[in-house]
Structure formats: C-alpha cells, structure tokens
Amino acid sequence: MGLFKRLFGQITPGKNKVRILCIGLDNSGKSTVINWLKPKKAMAQDVVPTVGFSVEEFTKNGLSFTVFDMSGQGRYRNLWEHYYKEVGGIIFCIDSTDHIRMCVAKDELDALLEHEELRSVPILFFANKMDLPQAVGPVQCVQNLELSKITDKPWHIAASNALTGEGIDEGITWLGTQMGRAARAK
Amino acid sequence: MAQPAPMAQPAPVTGEQVMAAARANEERKARSIWLHAWHDPVAGLKAYSPCVRMADISGDRDSKLLVAGSDRKLKIYKGTSLLSENVLLDAPVSICTFYPDANRPKLPSVAVAAGSNIFIYRNLRPYYKFPLPTLPVSPKEAAAWEGMRLGRTSIAEAKVALAAARESGVALTSVSQELVAADDEASAQQLVDEHKDLPLIRQTVCTCMEVLKREMEDEDAVSMLVVGTESGLALVLDPSGSTILVNVQLPSPPAFMAVGGLFTVDYRIVCACRNGNVYSIKNGELSGSVIELESMPCGLVRLDKSILVGCMTNVVHSFHLKGRKLYSIYLPAPITCMQLLAITKTRSIRALLVALSTGELRLYNEKHVVATLQFNEPITAIRFGCYGREDSALAVVGESGALTIKMMQRLADLEASTTPPGPPPEQDVPLSIPKKTKLYVEQTQREREQATEMHRVFQRDLCKMRLATARAYVKIITDGQGPMSYSAGSALRLTAQVQGLGPRFKIKLELQNSGSKVVTDMSATFTYNSMLYRLKKSVFAVPVLIPGLCYRLDADVEYVDENGGGADAIRVMVCSPKSSLPALSAIVNMPVSEGLFSQY
C-alpha cells in the first residue's frame, strides 16, 4: 500500500503542492532565479525590479510549486513575514558580489531564523552571480552569514548563476527532497 | 436576572516580572542599531564632513562615496573597493553633487570648491571652472603699483605705501601682501617684475558650499550650488554653475550653511558665520532676525523647521527657523562634526548625528539619545545617506584616515518615547504586605469605634508625664544636686573642667551669678577619695558674687596612688552659710592618671 501511495503520489497532479517563499535583498537575483525555473515558454526576456511581490506556479521534479517572489527593496521587506505561514521551503538569494551589504543580508536572515512560523522549514541559499569576477565563494558566504549556526532547520547553499541557470537545478532538487521528506513525515 | 459580570481582575504582577520586563527593554536599547558593513583602517583619508558625500554618479542606482581629501585627491569608493582617484588642483573645502539639467540619463555633476574656484566635473572629467567674483582693488594700492610700473616710485617706497594702506584698514591683494612681507630686495624685485604688468586682482576664497533644488524636491531634480565666500558673500549659482543668480552680502564670512526649500518656490539659507551669529537668507533677502550665539559655531544642521547649531562650549542649541530657542543638548566632550540623519523612503525619520572628540557618535531624536556608537579614535567626518544600494548607510572617517561604513537596521527603534523618563522600574514592584490577621482586624475595629476614648487616655497620660518631669526638675534645681541653683536667693551656675594627663591635674571651676542680686559668703569645697588624690587647697572662699561676672577657681589635684591607673570622681560643692544643703554641686569624673614618675 505504502509503495503504491508513494508511486502514485508522485504523478497525481495537485497532490504535492508546495508553497515556497523566495526572498533576499534587492538586486540579488530572486526574480531571475524564479524566471529560470519557469517553463521555457513562460520565461520573461528581461527582469525588472519586483514591486511588492509576484506569484509564480510551475511543476518541477513532480512537485507543483507555488513561489512567492518577494520584493527585496527596503520598503517592501516588512511584507516578508506576512507570508511565512504554511510555507514549505524558503529560497534565500545572496548577491555574492555585494560585499558591503552582507551585514544587511545577515540581519534580515537572523530576523527570519528567529521567526516562530518557520520552525524546521528547509532553507536553500543561492550564492548568486557566481560568474562575476568580484564574487565570493559559497564558503565565504557561509562564514559571512554565519550559516553554520543554524541548527534547527535543514539548509543548503548552492553557488549559482541565474542568467545561465547554473547551480539552480541542484539547489531545487535538494529543496524538493527536503520538502518531500517533511510531507511524508506528517 | 442577569448575573453581574465578575470584575476583570488584573493578573497579579510579581516583582520578578516587572524587573525582567525592564531588563529586556534595557537590552533591546543596548543592542546597536548599526550593522557593521566595512572597515578599512588604512584608507588614508584626510577629510572633513563637507568633503565627504554619497551620490549615484554613474546612474546605475549604485551610490558611490566621494571623498575629497586635503591631500588634493578625490577618491571615489564603490562598495568595498576604490573606484577611481583624481588629482585636485587645490585643497578642497567642500564637495557637492548636483543635477545641472533634467536630461536622461540623469547624471549628477560633481562640484569641488577649492581656493577661489569651483571645479565642476562631469563623468569624473574636469568640465568647467567657476571662478568666484573678484573684489574691488583699493585706489591706494592701485596707485602704488602704477607708480612702480611707470618707475616713478621705488619698490621700497611702494612697500611703505602699501604697509601704510594696510594699517589704515585697506584689504590688500595677495600679491601686495606678499610684497609687503618680502624680506630681501631681490625677492621683492622679482615679485614686482612678475606682477607689475598684470592687472591687480583681489580674490576671495570659498568657505562652504551646499546644494539647493530648483523646482522639485525629487532626489534627482535639477539643483543649483550655493556658495559661501571669505568676503562674506552667499552666492546662488544657476544649475549649469556658470552665472550668479543671487548675491547676498553677509556681515561676516559664513562657516557653515544649511539650505532648504526650492529656488523657484521658497527657499532659505541658514548661515552660521565666523562672528558667532547665525543669519538666515530667505528668498534672496537677508532676514532681520539674527541668532547670537554665546560661543563660536562648530556645526550646523537644519532639521525641518528647526536649526541645530553646535557650539564650541560642547552644546547643541536648537532654534526655530524664525529664531526662537527651543532646547539645548549638553554634551560631555567637544563636538567634532554634526550631520543630519534623514530616512524618507521606508519610514520618516529625521535625527541628529553628533560626533564627539572622544570618538563617540551619538544619535539624537529631538533631545533624547537614541543610539550611541563608540569609535576608538576621534572622528573627523561623518556622512549619512545612500551608499551602494542601501539607503541608510553611514560613512565615518577617523583621525587616522580609517574609513568605516555602518548600516542602519531596517527596523531600528529610533523613537525617543521608548525611554520614559520618570520612576525606576523598581517602583512598580509590589511590596510584600503581610496578610491581615484576626487580631489586626479587631484592633482596627476598636480604634475606629473608641477613638475619642483612646485619645483622651493618651492626653491624660501625657499630662501626667509632663507633671512628673517638671517635679523632678524643680527638685534638682532646689536641692543643690545640679549645676544650677536658685536656692540661695539668686541663680548660680557652676561648670567644672579637668585639665592634665596626670599625675597632676587641674580642676577649673567657673562660678557665675546669673541672677540680679549679689550673693555673698559662699564657699566652694571638694570631696574626694584621699587614698587617690591630694589637693593643695580644698576649700575656696567666695566672698562675693556679682551678677554677670564669671569667677574662676583653680584647684591643683595630685594623683597619689602608687599602683597608678586608677580614677575616681571628685565632687565639687558650693555651699552657703545659711543652709546645711549645698547650693550647687557637680561631679568631676577624673581621667585615668598616667603613672607616677619613678623616683631614684
């Protein structure tokens, strides 16, 4: 029975719907990451700064994703916490070339980690813009944001280049596995 | 019938809860509102606040930091790296960025005020030089140079003439000043040869520079430069920076300027001048209201409708724009720089940043400190604004040339009201009052019912006690047991004093008649333990005691006990021949005597 359920569960549409929140500072490449995940036809040619937030739905790895792409601008950041409820996973984009604002990213991340609603929600970090010469590696990002101190949530960091899609699939696969595991545990 | 709703009882508050809440509040306050972004201890900057600005000079929404150092270098930082370094022609006084036109893409020009010129850079390339207007040359000076040019007067004569002109209060050109100061003839001759055929120019220098928006408040709206000069002029240039639109003469050279409003609508330029006064220019007219400071200004910030002036006496005064004084902030150390902290996009905050010579940076909301930051060296420049993509960044230049970038937390609490002045939190801790016992209740009941009775009993006992006291007092003063006597028909007073360490002492008696009648035939005598003491004379006759006079009697006492170390009381009695009771008596407690000298 369990085997059947698992097999059919994978292909039944609408069964494994997950909500994902995509956050990060402005200009870190959130919308570009989401754009890459969309099917080829739906991809936007150029990405503009998000105002407020936008919702994208697509299917990947047998999971039906509903992604809330939040705006990262300072004035919209207080919207983030209103969407923390019933979230299956979080994508946190880091602009690995923006050294000066690492402290701001860390501050926002710390506020997120302390939030009640997000207990044991998996977090996927994208160290984005890896193609640029001044980018720092994912290891450096882990040190700057003190990610090793996160103990109550599963997390993963992937170096990415959202323009070419490098590293994004790897990260999403990890997130899918984590969320699938959490769904079965329920 | 509906039951009356039970009264909502407030949850019992324990002392621990109150104190824990107070502590949590303290901790929240103590946590810094500043995030540390970057620190470069070897940036080697030598700049003051007017020479540090932040602006998006490349139009990519990534704001840069411009620092015009007194080493004549214009350094531009992007993120954590130095983007470019330009050489300046003169030591800069101030640096400003302004938008000369509304063309897209909107790129600001950079204006550097240095010496008597304003250098304008576009795309980081020198674009235009605006020379400050020249000042009139006095006829005396012109005549002296004319004489030299025509060879009518010698250089020495011209020097004397110029020196005399300077003495009489004429402002000389820099060339003439140099000539007057020239020591030897050769250098003077060289100076005259160089300059005698050139027109005489008296130049002024720039003291401060700010930016005024022309018709819109937008960040990238067309704006114009406002320049203060050493000759006491305040100039408003047109947006291209080539012509003077407004020219106002101030009574003194401005040291600091604060600009607000729009040029085409309504604008105000507040100038803190070197004579210690703050003048205000409204729409091109010098306003009549002058703020006179008690000491020299060392910083000026305009905060909405108020002006904040930092003084050399470690005070920041706040004035209304019209000149009325609002409040003062007293600081523990001299002010090194002051800066406005304004956040407009995410929320509306306007506060004052003050850097002290101790390296402390304080943030004041109104007159309350909302945050402090300690640096380990004195600060020479601070600038708050948009840096990189962060809107609330703070750039700090230290005395050693170190550059520090801090960023304000998005949700930083800058409200002054979070620190309520008033009683400490301990006051809200409830006292541990014991429970009311049955006995206590009965007692209170009795007190309430028989209050009159109890009061009467208390009053009667009080009267009895007073009577007993009075009787005892009368008994003492009549039986000669005390130092005061009224028995001999007159009031006598006796004081006795012991002097000496032993074995020889002296008892000094003072006998005074404080009555009005003369007392006669009194005698003073001593009773003592003859095993211990020996008196040369133990009876003193006092034939007459005149009222008001003080009679002194000295009795020599010798301690005679060979064992030593003992002491006893000696009783002094003043007797009258009419009575068997002594009139007065006093007990002299003798001190423990020093041992006898051994006699060999």
Side-chain angles (χ1 to χ4, degrees), chain B residues 176-492:
Chain B
S176 302
Q177 280 174 353
E178 222 173 299
L179 181 63
V180 172
D183 293 332
D184 54 317
E185 278 186 19
S187 60
Q189 183 66 49
Q190 194 189 350
L191 197 71
V192 170
D193 289 345
E194 270 175 29
H195 290 277
K196 69 180 177 188
D197 294 326
L198 299 171
L200 277 180
I201 296 169
R202 187 154 74 89
Q203 278 181 321
T204 183
V205 291
C206 183
T207 56
C208 49
M209 182 168 67
E210 289 295 330
V211 167
L212 170 65
K213 299 250 189 307
R214 193 171 64 176
E215 55 217 343
M216 275 195 290
E217 280 286 3
D218 296 357
E219 217 167 274
D220 53 0
V222 177
S223 44
M224 41 225 293
L225 294 174
V226 182
V227 185
T229 72
E230 189 63 49
S231 57
L233 285 177
L235 310 170
V236 180
L237 308 186
D238 79 333
S240 67
S242 56
T243 47
I244 297 168
L245 295 185
V246 177
N247 184 338
V248 180
Q249 178 68 50
L250 295 165
S252 170
F256 301 96
M257 286 199 300
V259 173
L262 298 171
F263 183 73
T264 50
V265 186
D266 190 36
Y267 69 96
R268 198 185 272 270
I269 304 167
V270 181
C271 308
C273 293
R274 296 241 184 90
N275 61 355
N277 290 356
V278 179
Y279 301 96
S280 154
I281 298 166
K282 201 182 174 206
N283 298 333
E285 297 286 327
L286 184 62
S287 123
S289 65
V290 177
I291 301 167
E292 293 185 355
L293 303 169
E294 80 268 38
S295 64
M296 286 295 150
C298 59
L300 178 71
V301 164
R302 186 172 171 271
L303 219 157
D304 294 328
K305 284 264 173 230
S306 62
I307 314 164
L308 296 157
V309 191
C311 289
M312 302 279 263
T313 44
N314 310 354
V315 189
V316 176
H317 294 298
S318 168
F319 297 96
H320 190 266
L321 268 183
K322 296 207 170 107
R324 184 163 42 85
K325 187 172 166 188
L326 300 175
Y327 56 84
S328 297
I329 302 167
Y330 294 91
L331 297 161
I335 302 164
T336 55
C337 29
M338 281 170 64
Q339 194 60 246
L340 174 70
L341 181 145
I343 302 173
T344 47
K345 279 184 186 159
T346 47
R347 50 196 184 144
S348 183
I349 288 168
R350 284 172 155 302
L352 170 72
L353 281 163
V354 182
L356 305 180
S357 63
T358 52
E360 192 183 0
L361 183 65
R362 293 181 169 206
L363 180 61
Y364 280 93
N365 188 350
E366 297 268 288
K367 48 188 163 177
H368 306 283
V369 185
V370 286
T372 58
L373 195 58
Q374 184 66 47
F375 288 84
N376 46 20
E377 60 178 340
I379 298 162
T380 59
I382 45 175
R383 179 66 63 181
F384 183 84
C386 179
Y387 186 53
R389 298 182 67 96
E390 179 62 40
D391 288 328
S392 45
L394 174 75
V396 178
V397 178
E399 205 173 45
S400 67
L403 173 66
T404 310
I405 307 276
K406 299 267 178 185
M407 286 178 181
M408 187 179 270
Q409 273 190 317
R410 181 167 57 90
L411 299 171
D413 178 17
L414 299 180
E415 288 307 310
S417 56
T418 48
T419 49
E426 285 86 349
Q427 186 170 306
D428 296 331
V429 178
L431 296 172
S432 57
I433 300 165
K435 275 189 180 154
K436 289 175 185 169
T437 58
K438 199 181 169 192
L439 184 69
Y440 171 79
V441 172
E442 280 173 1
Q443 197 70 13
T444 345
Q445 186 77 16
R446 195 176 73 84
E447 278 172 13
R448 205 176 294 151
E449 284 168 1
Q450 305 174 357
T452 340
E453 179 91 358
M454 287 166 84
H455 180 70
R456 201 173 292 140
V457 169
F458 171 75
Q459 287 296 329
R460 197 188 62 215
D461 289 353
L462 190 64
C463 279
K464 274 187 180 172
M465 195 170 77
R466 282 178 181 156
L467 180 64
T469 316
R471 275 185 185 149
Y473 182 66
V474 169
K475 188 166 178 282
I476 285 169
I477 60 175
T478 49
D479 67 358
Q481 296 289 319
M484 297 280 282
S485 165
Y486 299 94
S487 57
S490 189
L492 293 181

Side-chain angles (χ1 to χ4, degrees), chain A residues 73-135:
Chain A
Q73 293 173 37
R75 68 184 100 173
Y76 297 119
R77 274 180 225 158
N78 50 2
L79 287 180
W80 294 1
E81 57 182 324
H82 298 293
Y83 293 86
Y84 287 170
K85 237 176 199 169
E86 291 167 26
V87 152
I90 286 178
I91 299 175
F92 195 99
C93 284
I94 305 158
D95 180 351
S96 50
T97 62
D98 194 353
H99 314 285
I100 202 106
R101 285 206 300 165
M102 280 290 175
C103 62
V104 183
K106 183 179 184 308
D107 186 49
E108 298 292 352
L109 179 66
D110 288 346
L112 180 147
L113 293 174
E114 278 174 21
H115 205 275
E116 281 288 307
E117 302 270 359
L118 299 178
R119 282 256 163 81
S120 68
V121 171
I123 304 185
L124 169 64
F125 294 93
F126 277 125
N128 210 0
K129 308 195 186 180
M130 269 303 144
D131 51 321
L132 295 177
Q134 66 268 41

Side-chain angles (χ1 to χ4, degrees), chain B residues 566-585:
Chain B
D568 197 7
I570 295 180
R571 202 177 163 97
V572 189
M573 282 173 284
V574 179
C575 305
S576 130
K578 296 169 198 156
S579 167
S580 59
L581 282 172
L584 293 169
S585 70

